[in-house]
Amino acid sequence: MTHKKNHVVELDDVVVRFAGDSGDGMQLTGSLFSDSVAFAGNDFATFPDYPSEIRAPQGTIAGVSGFQVHFGHNNIHTSGDLADVLVAMNPASLKASLKWAEKDATLIVDSDAFIEKGIIKAGYDTNPLEDNSLVGYNLIKAPISRLTKEAVKDLGIELKAALRCKNMFALGIVLYLFNRKLDSTNAFFEEKFKSNPLIVESNKRVLKAGFIFAENVEAINPTYKVQPAKLKKGTYRNITGNRATAWGFLAASERSGRELFLGSYPITPASEILQELTKHKQFSVKAFQAEDEIAGICSSLGASFTGSLAVTSTSGPGLSLKSEAIGLAVMTELPIVIVDVQRGGPSTGMPTKSEQSDLFQALFGRNGECPTIVLAAISSSDCFYSAYEASKLALEHMTPVILLTDGALANGSEVFKIPKVADLPEINPPIVEPNDPDFKPYRRDEKKLSRYWAIPGTEGLRHRIGGLEKENITGNVSNDPLNHQLMVKLRDDKVKKVANYIPEQKIIGNDSGELLIVSWGGTYGVMLTAVERLQEKGKNISLAHFKYINPLPKNTKEVFSKFKRIIVCELNNGQFVSYLKMNFPEFKYEQYNKIQGLPFMVSEIKEKFSSLLNE
Amino acid sequence: MEESQIKVPVIPELTKEDFVSDQMVKWCPGCGDHAILSSMEKVFPKLGIRKEDFVVVSGIGCSSRFPYYMNTYGIHGIHGRAAAIASGVKIANPELSVWMITGDGDCLAIGGNHFIHIVRRNLDINIVLFNNKIYGLTKGQFSPTTSKGTKTKTSPLGTIEIPFNPGELVIGAQGTFFARVTDSNPKMMVDVLFEAARHNGTSVVEILQNCVIFSNKVHALITSKETKENNQLHLKHGEPMLFGKQKDKGIILRGTNLEVVKLGENGITEKDILIHNKFNHDTGVHNMLARMAPPEFPAALGVIRAVEQETYGQALMDIIDIAKNTSTLKSVDDLLNSGNIWEI
Ligand SMILES: Cc1ncc(C[n+]2csc(CCOP(=O)(O)OP(=O)(O)O)c2C)c(N)n1
Ligand code: SF4
Ligand SMILES: [Mg+2]
């Protein structure tokens, strides 16, 4: 074979999107590609985009499953806006995904799938590969199905099994396009299909066939190179937000010496937290799949009373069901972390889409005066640290903590620098010693206002708690008017005092100026990228991205006071901005909202901010 | 529970006083709950369990005020959720003796889902169900156990619903222990609660409790002096099911149904009478016993069902042991560094 091409172009970052039918194995293809990217030392982030139906009809738009990989040689904070390279395994995936590709993207399609039946099923009138509708794109028509069959024909495997490898043909093309090696992918086949050498061999052959095909096709010229990232020295791995959340709790459990109890009920997109923790019984984790979300939190609260690090995980509809029990946790002043992996709402809403619309529910969705700490994780890998910190705050301040993540963080993945558990901050729950003569159920720590934790089984500390109003100090049931007012204030002050134990709000950019962008939670990567790019162009713009929602950092007001304009960006109809107005009515806020079940794109917010700066 | 029994020698002799709380008991005078409390205070010291190892959990209702009146660790929870809270307590620390106190509304209406699931899982928890066939705390609405036709605040013309029978529900949910007692028989209450505590797995004790205010005498057919001899069958394992003042009436199985017979009539002798077998895994007779009710039948009291079966706790400990013995991950650092990792 002649190496006729050697023109290599260097790129800073690239977005590749793999799209195919649900059964085409696009998630695996995408994650194998990210592995190869990782081994080449790039920074990267990924996002899967799959249908909510398990097996939507084959070949239809509804059945398209996608996986996007954004990689580059510095600071990749998002899974990318539009794809530079789109792999489409059939007409439906081309039709569904073209809007997620740049106008001059490289399109790699399985031309064998563009037959009349598939074209009609996808809703095209004519074959898009032939009707000039793709002018402007770099279209690579690869007879993937045919060449896949060809590559394995002498192995004697069934046609169906052979075609199952065709995603690897596509992967081979993409690996060639970015001057990657096949080693890490081949190693994966050998490990994964250990027990079936025939499958290993067929996948390897098809992968190689794709690679060689690419080498010989005129249209694949130039190829691209992305330099390794300038990451800090250390050990790295790829991690999804849900796994990071689960692992953060494991770390907090180990560090606090409190056994981990998770009471949970499956719900998209939170189920993986429960699934992950059920795998770790070697750490004595009790991951209890309850009969519903109410039982999830109530069992967890029972475990909290009993001395465990108690967690319950869910998504919006489940959080609704947990409201009353969160009230019980507030009243009993027991530590518990409630994870809400937000999705599109209200009601069942858009289960597989991401949104930031449960903020009000987290802050206010309970009867009575019922404050809790609220944190919002800011990236997939930050889910680890947020889960850890939520546990620390719950345990040390004896209060429920609601941790908000979202579908995009939960399923998205990014590079994670592996910490040492011993380097994480200590966790010291206020556990009462046996026979402490001063113990009273509602006596409090003077600084934190947290009560103490008297764990069943401990001698000399028998006591009763519950949802009825408590008399200060003794914890006896009380309907006394003044006592009630005092207790409401104490519970509120306890949460407010947490501001003394969280970091001050950081500003990215100058700490005073023309325009302050305010955002919170899962949008961090996009906001940071957009703001930094504008700053590079010399724009007078700064970013305050919030992770601590209740209480807000102590310096929030000061931060806001130094900017002429404040614009609050969020993936909802304006909840954080309302909360800020309530807390700091002295400032004028503008808002920018997107409520489409989709993340912000760097390009759209850059455009928005630029136009604001030009006003 | 086994754990606790092993500890017996080091446990100081306990008495009723060890479990009396300093709180004022606020049930109405004459309420059946007082008698139940008194029985529980008698049972706890006898169990050979440290007083710090009891946890009493309840939901909401008159009956659910119970934890405040027992000097143990306790949680007064939220309406219907006692089973879920108690499950968390027991799973988190299997060495505790966990008691769940609940009413007919708390347990079978709002908490019905949790109830069938705790029973199905066979968690080693003792459930004491105060059945007064009414919502006491909210002042007199019908409950899921209120007999059809009963006039209550929310059924001025009589209820039109078919009530639950707690025993049938427990057995239907694959329960391993079900007993029924009345609040007017303290001796039987103590014996049965003691046996429930000793049972490995979820034990459900239904107590026919009188609410003097909203459903007074609701169980009178079973409990009143005049009718109780004929309307109560006291079950004893291995003994024939005889009842009546002269113990001259009995239960036989004819075809697939139970039937009341009189000794000496139609050639019936004691040999024809059914022998109670509480250990029988088959649910058939237990279910029929749970369903028996006056006037046609006496109500079955005592332990109807007590079968051995693996508990949730045992199964969980077994798989945790396996995981500990087989996993290569000894710490969270190991986990963080497992799988695909790379150095920079
Ligand atoms: C979520 C919720 N719904 C309704 C109530 C009102 N409520 C309190 S107790 C109760 C019924 C109690 O009946 P039962 O469980 O039979 O207990 P009893 O008072 O008869 O002992 C109701 C409806 C409540 N406390 N919480
Ligand atoms: S209302 Fe009925 S159940 Fe409640 S305390 Fe009074 S008598 Fe007992
Ligand atoms: Mg009742």
Side-chain angles (χ1 to χ4, degrees), chain B residues 24-245:
Chain B
M24 201 218 294
V25 178
K26 290 186 184 161
W27 290 311
C28 305
C31 173
D33 293 359
H34 295 284
I36 306 173
L37 176 61
S38 164
S39 298
M40 290 274 281
E41 288 167 348
K42 282 186 198 136
V43 172
F44 277 24
K46 284 199 205 165
L47 290 170
I49 296 171
R50 287 165 71 234
K51 56 181 188 272
E52 290 81 13
D53 285 343
F54 286 97
V55 179
V56 181
V57 179
S58 67
I60 298 289
C62 293
S63 38
S64 287
R65 293 292 172 96
F66 198 93
Y68 293 118
Y69 307 144
M70 289 290 284
N71 188 5
T72 62
Y73 284 96
I75 309 179
H76 179 217
I78 44 177
H79 197 27
R81 318 302 172 196
I85 298 171
S87 298
V89 171
K90 185 70 187 180
I91 295 169
N93 184 354
E95 292 185 19
L96 298 171
S97 174
V98 181
W99 294 73
M100 166 182 154
I101 308 296
T102 182
D104 42 314
D106 192 64
C107 188
L108 304 176
I110 191 165
N113 193 32
H114 309 307
F115 179 66
I116 54 176
H117 288 283
I118 194 173
V119 167
R120 166 179 76 81
R121 293 189 184 109
N122 202 30
L123 267 150
D124 192 7
I125 289 175
N126 313 299
I127 301 176
V128 186
L129 166 52
F130 293 36
N131 185 4
N132 55 10
K133 299 196 172 186
I134 198 82
Y135 286 1
L137 192 70
T138 46
K139 303 197 170 112
Q141 304 81 4
F142 67 86
S143 90
T145 58
T146 304
S147 310
K148 187 167 183 227
T150 309
K151 289 182 176 160
T152 70
K153 282 215 180 120
T154 46
S155 57
L157 301 177
T159 61
I160 54 173
E161 297 185 5
I162 309 295
F164 269 142
N165 176 327
E168 279 184 287
L169 203 57
V170 169
I171 293 166
Q174 301 168 66
T176 56
F177 186 103
F178 179 74
R180 187 190 289 135
V181 293
T182 67
D183 60 5
S184 52
N185 187 342
K187 164 137 189 1
M188 188 191 252
M189 248 194 299
V190 169
D191 291 347
V192 163
L193 288 169
F194 188 81
E195 200 177 328
R198 287 298 173 90
H199 175 72
N200 255 326
T202 309
S203 50
V204 180
V205 178
E206 178 194 8
I207 302 185
L208 304 181
Q209 175 241 327
N210 193 39
C211 166
V212 283
I213 309 292
F214 299 111
S215 61
N216 196 20
K217 302 204 163 78
V218 69
H219 305 297
L221 217 49
I222 298 169
T223 56
S224 80
K225 258 210 183 88
E226 303 73 50
T227 53
K228 72 176 182 192
E229 306 279 4
N230 279 330
N231 286 343
Q232 291 190 5
L233 166 67
H234 291 204
L235 291 169
K236 291 214 173 68
H237 177 73
E239 293 187 15
M241 299 179 194
L242 291 169
F243 66 102
K245 202 164 198 149

Side-chain angles (χ1 to χ4, degrees), chain A residues 51-349:
Chain A
S52 48
E53 293 76 17
I54 304 302
R55 280 277 180 272
Q58 215 183 354
T60 62
I61 299 264
V64 174
S65 165
F67 193 98
Q68 186 156 311
V69 183
H70 181 200
F71 65 107
H73 99 109
N74 61 11
N75 292 343
I76 300 299
H77 303 300
T78 76
S79 56
D81 284 5
L82 298 177
D84 302 301
V85 177
L86 171 66
V87 174
M89 299 300 284
N90 66 5
S93 31
L94 181 66
K95 178 137 202 217
S97 312
L98 207 56
K99 60 175 176 292
W100 305 122
E102 294 286 0
K103 290 287 165 246
D104 58 352
T106 296
L107 308 179
I108 300 168
V109 298
D110 179 1
S111 54
D112 293 338
F114 285 72
I115 48 173
E116 196 177 337
K117 204 170 122 202
I119 290 167
I120 292 171
K121 247 192 188 170
Y124 280 119
D125 295 330
T126 54
N127 185 348
L129 306 188
E130 315 292 347
D131 65 6
N132 286 331
S133 60
L134 299 176
V135 171
Y137 294 97
N138 176 24
L139 180 63
I140 298 168
K141 291 187 262 185
I144 294 180
S145 301
R146 185 165 57 78
L147 293 178
T148 296
K149 281 185 270 181
E150 192 83 7
V152 297
K153 72 164 185 263
D154 58 325
L155 289 177
I157 60 171
E158 273 181 51
L159 183 64
K160 236 177 142 181
L163 281 177
R164 225 174 274 141
C165 302
K166 71 182 179 198
N167 52 339
M168 292 306 132
F169 194 97
L171 181 58
I173 298 177
V174 178
L175 289 174
Y176 175 80
L177 189 62
F178 291 102
N179 284 285
R180 302 284 149 151
K181 298 219 167 67
L182 305 183
D183 308 4
S184 76
T185 314
N186 281 332
F188 169 84
F189 297 146
E190 273 159 26
E191 174 59 32
K192 172 89 182 179
F193 306 117
K194 249 193 301 237
S195 58
N196 198 336
L198 204 56
I199 304 255
V200 174
E201 182 57 22
S202 41
N203 275 293
K204 277 183 169 180
R205 281 203 195 178
V206 173
L207 183 75
K208 193 168 171 196
F211 195 87
I212 292 171
F213 168 83
E215 214 170 13
N216 290 305
V217 169
E218 211 55 58
I220 303 188
N221 193 13
T223 60
Y224 301 96
K225 200 164 174 74
V226 178
Q227 292 295 343
K230 296 170 285 188
L231 295 170
K232 280 199 203 118
K233 245 175 96 76
T235 311
Y236 287 80
R237 67 175 307 127
N238 180 16
I239 201 160
T240 63
N242 272 346
R243 176 174 274 191
T245 304
W247 288 9
F249 291 127
L250 289 172
S253 165
E254 187 174 289
R255 199 85 169 88
S256 64
R258 296 284 106 202
E259 225 174 56
L260 180 58
F261 182 100
L262 174 80
S264 186
Y265 188 76
I267 183 169
T268 303
S271 303
E272 293 82 9
I273 299 174
L274 169 63
Q275 285 163 206
E276 179 63 27
L277 288 175
T278 56
K279 286 188 209 153
H280 298 298
K281 299 205 166 57
Q282 75 278 4
F283 300 138
S284 294
V285 175
K286 312 265 173 72
F288 177 59
Q289 181 175 323
E291 56 274 19
D292 60 26
E293 282 86 350
I294 301 174
I297 186 168
C298 286
S299 59
S300 193
L301 209 52
S304 168
F305 181 68
T306 312
S308 296
L309 166 54
V311 180
T312 184
S313 52
T314 190
S315 185
L319 186 62
S320 304
L321 287 174
K322 291 177 196 293
S323 302
E324 189 192 10
I326 297 173
L328 180 64
V330 166
M331 201 63 148
T332 51
E333 307 196 32
L334 284 169
I336 183 169
V337 181
I338 301 111
V339 184
D340 173 14
V341 185
Q342 299 169 93
R343 65 189 216 183
S347 188
T348 307

